[in-house]
Amino acid sequence: MLFIISHEIIPESHRKGHEFFATTGLMVGFVLMMVLDTGLG
């Protein structure tokens, strides 16, 4: 699953000048996932 995300979705989202929003969204999503994972056990 991680290979699919890193190989397909991340490069697609960084095209056409949307690098900042794509990177920010990726980091916020990862942090939110970790918080929910630890918070909900």
Side-chain angles (χ1 to χ4, degrees):
M1 186 68 180
L2 289 175
F3 176 75
I4 294 170
I5 290 171
S6 65
H7 187 68
E8 295 290 331
I9 295 174
I10 294 174
E12 247 338 276
S13 66
H14 280 77
R15 291 187 183 157
K16 300 179 185 172
H18 299 290
E19 294 88 5
F20 177 75
F21 295 115
T23 304
T24 304
L26 181 69
M27 290 190 300
V28 168
F30 184 76
V31 168
L32 181 62
M33 181 183 68
M34 288 292 115
V35 167
L36 289 174
D37 185 43
T38 57
L40 298 176

